[in-house]
């Protein structure tokens, strides 16, 4: 009684009264009783949690969320099932408190993760889903959980950088198909309408079971899965790769707390060099690498030797392949690391390393403006290219970036820039570090560069024409001899004067000359021997009776640089990484330590530096931005390049010519058709008439194809089955379609009732006596064929095929023949 009295008092309150009565009048929520649907939804959510866990584990080393989120979510789902008919008011209050605590934890963590909030938001969503799993009485609540699983999968897709996301995505699709089917059946109420009669209830349950098994049969689910995967892969293959980064929110690691007070940027911490490990604050290091800065020695097998203030090219050995970083970029390019200006005879060094200076950023932004001393000094066009780098294995404190970086988003308070525009970090690039660079990459136009002058400023000629005097004359004579032969072969009366053409010809000569081969392990230089001299004229330490020329790939670039300098062309040696292997599924370039190499950059007054690669087996012109080529590359083309890399060259050439010819032919026809509309009124009407005629022809072909496919299908059936299916198809063409739930006898009775006018439906027109008689005969034919079909199908009875064929023929002609 007290409870009813208090409820009566609440009903009479001026504000709460109407609300209370409205709540009481609302229909009670109908719980979802399908255990299978609940299990499938829970599996979807767990897969979403695992997807985030896998992506976060690869990207950031965070503790697994699956260990606690998945078990708690399962426990909540079980508790929710057993309490689905209860109001669970105390539980709802506890869940509300839990959600407030999750929100507080989210806000506290958000303060330190403002640079990238995806994982923080995903973790909040997982926490809310775990709490939500304790309150899932209705189908609508299960629908919320399905959406949460989909969102978690999408978040994982934006974070993942490897193909480990692929199997999780496939598993999610496999679970989502039956889950959506069960959810749709629940929406239609197929699992809740039962008769009160016990025998009828049993029949309905049996029909429902059969219907459910048909809906989620393995054959049907497999067909749906293959269709979905096929359509998805087709869309993915032909979808253009848009430049991306439309929003200026770039991926960056969390701030790195590092004392930068004593950081001057002049020290490179390359663990591959002896004594060049991590800085200890006083400029010393604890590197345990094997590279040494002078004299013969062994190469470190992990860290590339070319990333140091001074490099020694008298080292021998090979790197052990290892992935060092993943790059997402709007364009393919050479991930440039550093440049050298002073040649030492057995290697290179940065002569102006003491001119390196540091650059700070605002405490409210991660942005560094690194467009130093380049504003408005070059007249060539540039293209903005955004790159995001994720370090996978520890690297030196040199920051890879495309040439002419303009802005950089980096998690330290300071960075350093050397005189050649190369970027340095206060500490080595550690595993998991992510940063973003925006570069103004110059367009490479051979015509314009070929017309560039030779009026070099003093700041260029002072540092980039240096060459040891003892080899200068010998190298100059060799270089001019090569260019003279090139000019003679090209049958040019005048000597080559274009700087661009000279660089191109010399690079091709070194790349193609059989006398200069890539050596697996060339001899060490003798005491006082010069690298360029040994490469061109033979090593002093060559075996007796044998003359060895050539060398490592980087030796080719050194030789090209010195040859250009010998004839007065400013050049420098630049080191970095090749683009690496592009993964069309993740959109990332996977870069290994073995992708690091050196090449030559040549200076063109007014246009800046452009690279040439003389190393055999590599492109002469490194990846560049050229006019007329966009960055919206279809993934299908990228995928083809990946496949072509595994095929023999003759097979690749044949396929490219064959497929290219087909595409050119198709594009030519399309271009000709659209060109009609630009030829005045006659062209417009001609194009419209042609389009109409082609549409009509396409429709005829489609009708013919449908009939051909229908005939092929009938031919595979048994004669009785074929007659019955032809009858159903004929009646469907007259608007009398057999529903899936109708038995053959129920369908024939429906036809007979329509023929006698007892179907209960309003006729469209008043039937004449002839029409009524014809429809009665039609119903009799349908009934006879249906009875024969049922007897043959379920009773194994013999049938009179000749009579049934005559009846089917009569049905087609619209009259009975007995």
């Amino acid at each position: 009684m007290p409870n009813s009295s208090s409820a009566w008092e609440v009903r009479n309150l001026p504000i709460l009264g109407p609300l209370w009565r409205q709540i009481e009048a609302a229909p009670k929520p109908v719980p979802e009783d399908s255990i299978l649907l609940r299990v499938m939804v829970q599996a979807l959510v767990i897969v979403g949690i695992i997807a985030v866990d896998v992506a976060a584990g690869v990207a950031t080393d965070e503790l697994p969320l699956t260990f606690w989120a998945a078990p708690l979510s399962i426990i909540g789902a079980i508790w929710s099932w057993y309490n689905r008919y209860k109001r669970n008011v105390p539980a709802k209050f506890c869940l509300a408190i839990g959600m407030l605590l999750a929100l507080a934890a989210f806000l506290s963590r958000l303060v330190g993760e403002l640079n990238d909030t995806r994982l923080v938001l995903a973790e909040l969503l997982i926490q809310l889903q775990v709490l939500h799993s304790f309150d899932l009485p209705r189908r609508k609540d299960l629908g919320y959980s399905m959406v949460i699983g989909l969102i978690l999968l999408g978040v994982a897709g934006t974070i993942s950088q490897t193909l480990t996301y692929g199997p999780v995505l496939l598993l999610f699709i496999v679970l989502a198909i039956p889950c959506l089917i069960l959810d749709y059946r629940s929406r239609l109420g197929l699992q809740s309408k039962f008769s009160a009669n016990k025998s009828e209830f049993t029949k309905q349950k049996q029909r429902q079971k059969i219907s459910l098994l048909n809906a989620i049969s393995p054959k049907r689910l497999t067909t749906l899965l293959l269709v979905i995967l096929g359509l998805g892969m087709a869309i993915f293959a032909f979808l253009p790769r848009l430049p991306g980064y439309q929003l200026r929110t770039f991926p960056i690691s969390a701030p790195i707390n590092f004392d930068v007070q004593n950081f001057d940027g002049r020290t490179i911490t390359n663990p591959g060099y002896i004594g060049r490990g991590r800085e200890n604050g006083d400029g010393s290091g604890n590197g345990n690498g094997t590279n040494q800065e002078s004299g013969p020695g062994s190469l470190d097998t992990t860290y590339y030797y070319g990333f140091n203030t001074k490099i020694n090219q008298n080292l021998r050995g090979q790197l052990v392949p290892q992935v060092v970083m993943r790059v997402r970029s709007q364009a393919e390019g050479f991930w440039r690391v550093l440049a050298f200006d002073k040649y030492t005879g057995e290697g290179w060094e940065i002569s102006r390393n003491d001119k390196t200076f540091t650059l700070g950023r605002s405490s409210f932004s991660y942005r560094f403006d690194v467009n130093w001393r380049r504003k408005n000094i070059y007249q060539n066009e540039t293209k903005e290219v955004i790159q995001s780098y994720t370090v996978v294995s520890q690297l030196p404190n040199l920051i890879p970036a495309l040439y002419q970086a303009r802005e950089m988003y980096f998690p330290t308070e300071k960075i350093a820039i050397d005189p050649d525009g190369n970027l340095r970090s206060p500490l080595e690039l550690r595993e998991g570090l992510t940063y973003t660079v925006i570069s103004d990459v110059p367009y490479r136009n051979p015509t314009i560069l070929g017309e560039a002058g030779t009026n070099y400023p003093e700041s260029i000629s002072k540092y980039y024409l240096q060459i040891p005097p003892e080899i200068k004359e010998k190298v100059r004579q060799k270089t001019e001899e090569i260019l003279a032969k090139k000019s003679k072969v090209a049958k040019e009366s005048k000597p080559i004067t274009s700087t661009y053409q000279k660089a191109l010809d010399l690079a091709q000569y070194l790349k193609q000359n059989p006398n200069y081969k890539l050596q697996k392990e060339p001899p060490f230089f003798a005491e006082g021997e010069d690298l360029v001299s040994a490469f061109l004229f033979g090593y002093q330490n060559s075996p007796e009776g044998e003359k060895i020329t050539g060398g490592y790939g980087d030796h080719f670039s050194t030789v090209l640089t010195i040859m250009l300098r010998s004839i007065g062309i400013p050049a420098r040696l630049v080191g970095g990484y090749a683009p690496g292997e592009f993964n069309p599924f993740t959109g990332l370039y996977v870069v290994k330590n073995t992708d690091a190499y050196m090449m030559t950059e040549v200076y063109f007054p007014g246009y800046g530096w452009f690279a040439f690669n003389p190393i055999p087996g590599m492109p002469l012109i490194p990846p560049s931005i050229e006019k007329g080529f966009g960055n919206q590359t279809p993934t299908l083309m990228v995928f083809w390049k990946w496949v072509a890399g595994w095929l023999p060259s003759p097979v690749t050439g044949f396929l490219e010519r064959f497929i290219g010819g087909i595409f050119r032919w198709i594009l030519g026809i399309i271009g000709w058709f659209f060109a009609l509309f630009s030829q005045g009124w006659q062209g417009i009407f001609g194009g419209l008439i042609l389009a109409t005629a082609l549409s009509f022809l396409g429709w005829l072909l489609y009708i013919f194809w449908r009939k051909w496919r229908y005939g092929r299908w009938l031919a595979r059936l048994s004669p009785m089955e074929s007659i019955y299916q032809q009858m159903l198809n004929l009646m469907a063409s007259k608007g009398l379609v057999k529903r899936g739930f109708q038995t053959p006898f129920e369908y024939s009775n429906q036809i007979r009732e329509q023929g006698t006018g007892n179907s209960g439906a309003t006729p469209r027109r008043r039937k004449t006596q002839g029409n009524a008689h014809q429809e009665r005969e039609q119903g009799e034919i349908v009934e006879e064929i249906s009875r024969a079909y049922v007897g043959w199908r379920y009773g194994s009875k013999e049938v009179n095929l000749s009579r049934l064929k005559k009846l089917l023929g009569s049905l087609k002609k619209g009259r009975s023949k007995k």
Side-chain angles (χ1 to χ4, degrees):
M1 290 302 293
N3 291 336
S4 61
S5 176
S6 60
W8 182 86
E9 292 175 357
V10 172
R11 290 191 194 96
N12 287 278
L13 291 175
I15 298 177
L16 295 179
L19 181 61
W20 182 274
R21 289 192 294 272
Q22 186 177 357
I23 293 174
E24 285 186 330
K28 188 177 180 181
V30 179
E32 176 59 55
D33 291 323
S34 173
I35 297 179
L36 184 57
L37 175 59
R38 288 176 175 270
V39 171
M40 296 302 295
V41 170
Q42 193 60 38
L44 273 184
V45 172
I46 292 175
V47 170
I49 296 172
I50 293 174
V52 174
D53 218 9
V54 168
V58 170
T60 62
D61 290 337
E62 294 226 346
L63 291 175
L65 299 169
T66 311
F67 285 174
W68 63 267
L72 285 178
S73 187
I74 294 173
I75 293 171
I78 295 173
W79 189 90
S80 183
W81 159 258
Y82 283 108
N83 294 275
R84 65 190 184 281
Y85 289 104
K86 301 177 183 178
R87 293 188 177 273
N88 303 318
V89 176
K92 292 180 187 296
F93 275 105
C94 293
L95 294 179
I97 295 172
M99 289 181 179
L100 291 174
L101 293 175
L103 178 61
F106 163 74
L107 294 176
S108 63
R109 188 179 173 190
L110 185 64
V111 175
E113 300 285 347
L114 288 175
N115 55 299
D116 191 353
T117 60
R118 291 174 296 177
L119 278 177
V120 185
L121 289 169
E123 188 170 343
L124 172 65
L125 197 59
I126 291 172
Q127 292 168 353
L128 295 179
Q129 166 56 32
V130 170
L131 295 171
H132 176 64
S133 64
F134 285 86
D135 186 27
L136 299 173
R138 300 169 297 174
R139 176 188 50 76
K140 183 166 66 173
D141 300 311
L142 295 172
Y144 295 150
S145 294
M146 292 168 62
V147 172
I148 290 175
L150 182 62
I151 294 173
L152 292 176
L153 190 78
V155 172
T158 65
I159 298 171
S160 178
Q161 295 186 348
T162 65
L163 287 178
T164 52
Y165 175 74
V168 181
L169 175 62
L170 182 62
L171 178 60
F172 187 89
I173 297 174
V174 170
L175 294 174
I177 295 173
C179 193
L180 291 174
I181 293 174
L182 294 172
D183 179 74
Y184 182 66
R185 289 175 56 84
S186 178
R187 290 173 186 271
L188 296 178
L190 297 179
Q191 302 172 357
S192 57
K193 299 178 181 178
F194 296 105
S195 172
N197 184 276
K198 185 174 181 180
S199 60
E200 187 65 25
F201 175 83
T202 305
K203 291 181 181 179
Q204 287 180 348
K205 289 287 287 184
Q206 188 66 24
R207 282 198 216 110
Q208 182 192 109
K209 184 177 180 180
I210 296 173
S211 175
L212 178 62
L213 292 176
N214 290 333
I216 59 173
S217 64
K219 183 178 179 181
R220 184 175 184 182
L221 293 180
T222 303
T223 303
L224 284 173
L225 177 64
L226 294 177
V227 170
I228 291 171
L229 291 178
L231 289 174
M233 293 298 291
I235 294 172
F236 176 79
F238 289 97
L239 193 68
R241 295 195 59 79
L242 299 176
Y245 295 109
Q246 304 300 323
L247 299 176
R248 295 283 169 161
T249 302
F250 304 123
I252 315 160
S253 296
I256 298 176
N257 296 319
F258 184 78
D259 184 13
V260 295
Q261 295 298 323
N262 298 322
F263 172 63
D264 59 8
R266 299 176 183 177
T267 302
I268 295 178
T269 55
N270 185 342
Y273 273 88
I274 299 173
R276 288 286 185 173
R278 183 180 302 176
E279 287 187 72
N280 295 326
D282 58 355
S284 64
N286 59 355
N288 55 0
T290 60
N291 294 336
Q292 55 192 41
E293 294 184 351
S294 63
S298 299
L299 283 170
D300 188 89
T301 58
T302 302
Y303 298 96
Y304 180 59
Y305 81 100
F307 299 151
N308 199 26
T309 54
K310 182 178 180 181
I311 63 171
N312 178 13
Q313 294 188 298
N314 199 16
L315 303 176
R316 302 295 179 260
Q318 301 291 334
L319 288 171
V320 176
Q322 176 181 332
V323 176
V324 293
M325 62 182 181
R326 299 188 183 95
V327 184
R328 186 183 302 279
S329 176
Q330 293 177 307
E332 186 180 64
F334 177 70
W335 319 125
R336 194 172 183 274
V337 175
L338 82 173
F340 299 93
D341 59 346
K342 184 179 180 181
Y343 175 61
T344 63
E346 67 172 358
W348 293 82
E349 65 177 316
I350 303 173
S351 66
R352 295 174 291 166
N353 190 57
D354 58 337
K355 303 295 184 182
T356 302
F357 64 93
T358 59
L359 188 67
R361 61 171 173 82
S362 169
S363 57
F364 302 102
S365 172
Y366 293 91
R367 178 180 175 273
F368 291 90
D369 183 6
V370 295
N371 192 24
W372 68 289
R373 298 197 312 184
R374 281 192 289 103
K375 296 180 179 178
N376 303 322
I377 67 171
Y378 295 143
Q379 58 192 23
N380 54 329
E381 293 184 68
T382 60
K383 181 177 181 62
E384 179 184 272
V385 179
I386 303 174
Q387 322 115 60
S388 291
Y389 300 80
T390 298
V391 178
V392 178
S393 300
Q394 181 180 331
L395 293 174
N397 65 323
L398 300 168
I399 304 173
L402 284 182
Y403 178 52
Q404 289 192 183
R406 185 182 79 235
E407 300 175 16
M408 190 173 72
Y409 297 80
F410 203 75
T412 59
E413 296 180 1
K414 284 185 179 182
I415 61 170
I417 306 175
D418 71 12
D420 286 303
N422 307 301
L423 308 173
R424 302 180 186 180
S425 166
L427 70 168
E428 70 276 4
L429 306 187
R430 298 171 180 174
E431 181 181 353
L433 173 71
T434 299
Y435 65 94
T436 298
V437 180
I438 303 177
S439 299
D440 290 328
V441 181
Y443 283 104
R444 187 179 187 120
N445 189 323
T447 303
I448 294 177
L449 295 178
E451 298 172 354
T454 57
N455 186 20
Y456 303 113
E458 183 181 357
S459 59
I460 296 296
S461 58
K462 182 179 179 180
Y463 297 102
Y464 302 106
L465 291 175
Q466 174 265 339
I467 182 172
E470 56 271 19
I471 67 166
K472 183 175 182 178
E473 186 60 26
K474 185 166 57 172
V475 174
R476 184 188 63 79
Q477 290 178 2
K478 179 69 175 177
T479 304
E480 290 179 347
E481 178 187 335
I482 294 169
L483 291 176
K485 288 182 179 179
K486 283 281 185 180
S487 180
K488 187 177 180 180
V489 170
K491 297 181 180 180
E492 296 181 3
S493 57
K494 296 181 181 180
I496 300 172
T497 57
S498 167
T499 299
Y500 189 89
Q501 190 61 45
K502 288 180 180 179
L504 205 64
D505 288 346
L506 290 173
Q508 286 178 332
Y509 174 83
L510 293 174
K511 182 186 289 285
Q512 299 171 359
N513 194 311
N515 294 325
Y516 305 124
K517 299 178 181 178
L518 272 174
Q519 302 289 344
K520 186 176 181 181
E521 189 164 329
F524 288 108
F525 306 135
E527 183 72 25
E529 185 177 19
D530 184 89
L531 183 157
V532 176
S533 179
F535 183 98
L536 292 174
F537 308 110
Y539 290 81
Q540 295 180 15
N541 288 332
S542 299
E544 187 175 352
E546 185 178 355
K547 181 182 178 181
I548 296 179
T549 56
Y552 284 142
D554 291 350
H555 295 172
F556 281 78
S557 300
T558 291
V559 172
L560 176 61
T561 305
I562 298 303
M563 292 177 79
L564 288 168
R565 288 186 175 188
S566 71
I567 56 174
I569 298 177
R572 64 187 180 188
L573 193 73
V574 60
Y577 293 97
E581 182 179 356
F582 181 76
N583 188 327
F585 299 101
T586 62
L588 298 171
Y589 294 91
V590 180
V591 184
K592 298 180 180 179
N593 56 351
T594 50
D595 290 321
Y597 69 99
M598 300 282 185
M599 60 180 176
T600 301
E601 280 188 344
V602 180
Y603 182 79
F604 296 89
Y607 301 101
W609 297 89
F610 288 86
F612 296 84
N613 187 356
I615 302 174
M618 299 184 74
L620 178 63
I621 304 299
S624 308
I625 303 295
E626 298 184 17
K627 278 287 188 180
F629 293 89
N631 296 314
Q632 299 182 10
T633 307
T635 306
L636 186 63
M637 294 178 63
V638 179
F639 184 73
W640 162 246
K641 289 181 180 179
W642 179 77
V643 173
W646 295 88
L647 297 175
S649 298
V651 176
T652 302
F654 170 76
L655 290 176
E656 287 181 346
R657 289 192 298 272
F658 178 73
I659 298 174
I662 293 176
F663 271 101
R664 282 193 295 271
W665 182 74
I666 294 174
L667 292 175
I669 293 177
I670 294 174
W672 172 81
F673 174 73
F674 283 104
L676 287 175
F677 293 90
S678 62
Q679 299 177 7
W681 289 106
Q682 292 182 347
I684 293 175
F685 280 111
L688 292 174
I689 292 171
L690 180 61
T692 305
L694 291 175
S695 301
F696 178 67
L697 179 62
W699 177 78
L700 289 177
L701 291 174
Y702 173 70
I703 296 298
F704 174 77
W705 175 76
R706 284 189 59 183
K707 289 184 177 180
W708 174 80
R709 190 182 65 169
Y710 180 65
R712 288 286 303 274
W713 177 66
L714 289 177
R716 291 196 297 268
L717 301 176
S718 62
M720 182 66 245
E721 182 76 24
S722 176
I723 292 172
Y724 181 70
Q725 292 297 334
Q726 290 181 71
M727 180 203 73
L728 293 180
N729 184 59
L730 181 63
M731 299 307 295
S733 66
K734 298 180 180 181
L736 301 172
V737 181
K738 179 182 179 296
R739 307 299 177 187
F741 57 83
Q742 287 181 312
T743 64
F745 289 153
E746 289 175 340
Y747 177 66
S748 63
N749 290 336
Q750 176 190 345
I751 303 296
R752 288 178 63 86
E753 288 176 358
Q754 290 185 355
T756 58
N758 298 328
S759 62
T762 303
R764 295 182 180 178
R765 57 183 175 83
R766 186 177 298 278
K767 298 179 182 179
T768 63
Q769 185 174 0
N771 287 338
H773 176 71
Q774 185 178 359
E775 290 188 359
R776 281 197 300 273
E777 289 187 340
Q778 177 178 270
E780 291 173 359
I781 293 174
V782 170
E783 182 178 8
E784 184 171 346
I785 293 177
S786 297
R787 288 185 180 280
Y789 173 73
V790 171
W792 168 80
R793 178 78 182 266
Y794 302 104
S796 301
K797 294 182 180 180
E798 296 290 336
V799 293
N800 189 345
L801 290 175
S802 59
R803 172 170 173 76
L804 293 176
K805 289 179 180 179
K806 289 181 180 179
L807 290 175
L808 181 63
S810 300
L811 196 62
K812 292 179 179 179
K813 295 177 182 179
R815 63 181 184 273
S816 171
K817 288 185 179 181
K818 296 186 178 180

